Amino acid sequence: MLKYLTVPVTPFAQNCSIAWCDKTLQAAVIDPGGDLEKIETAIQQLGLNLEQIWLTHAHIDHAGGTAELAKRHSLPITGPHPGDQFWIDGLAQQSQMFGFPQAEAFTPTRWLKDGDTVQVGECVLDVRHTPGHTPGHVVFHSPQAKRAFVGDVLFAGGIGRTDFPGGSHPELISSITERLWPMGDDTVFIPGHGLESTFGRERRTNPFVGGT
Ligand SMILES: [Zn+2]
Ligand SMILES: [Zn+2]
């Protein structure tokens, strides 16, 4: 079964998740935006073998530590979707703009597209392409664990910003209603910032997508 621990990183309190297979103790880090020592310490304390990096999208608070972490542990980088290439290319500039430690661009070992799967240990997660916040945003869904790692697509009581280059409000709404809602009302999602919630609760109460 899939287990996970969320570690808030960077001044933006981005929810980096360590996801692992409790049978094999193989782990993937989702969105290592920074504060790598904090992530590495948590992995060590849990007694896990870190084997992969998975990315939802290439904003600095989600992807800023990727190149360095991959280098330190010789890890393959999976995701995001090729639509975020320009955000990866701009990581150094993003880090300067937001006063982050110098971030480096990288080349994903494997780009993702809608319908792909990723695997850690014996746990398989479905990949959905969810553009709108960024063009190449993806989410990771474990139907077995009823969990979804949704980056900056949907928050408890909110939705992702769409005023960045390549953002699109209508696309974001479609991503949420057509690709997240079908995962089921009882699915718990881990957003890129803030508290967890369920898709059912957001469908009922979220002021931006409630009643959809
Ligand atoms: Zn973002
Ligand atoms: Zn974010």
Side-chain angles (χ1 to χ4, degrees), residues 45-69:
Q45 285 171 348
L46 291 162
L48 305 173
N49 296 314
L50 176 59
E51 298 193 338
Q52 308 179 50
I53 297 171
W54 299 346
L55 298 175
T56 63
H57 67 298
H59 279 160
I60 183 73
D61 52 326
H62 295 257
T66 302
E68 174 66 21
L69 188 67

Side-chain angles (χ1 to χ4, degrees), residues 56-62 133-134 137 151-152 155 161 164 193:
T56 63
H57 67 298
H59 279 160
I60 183 73
D61 52 326
H62 295 257
H133 175 68
T134 68
H137 200 298
D152 289 350
F155 303 109
R161 286 175 61 170
F164 296 115
H193 307 266

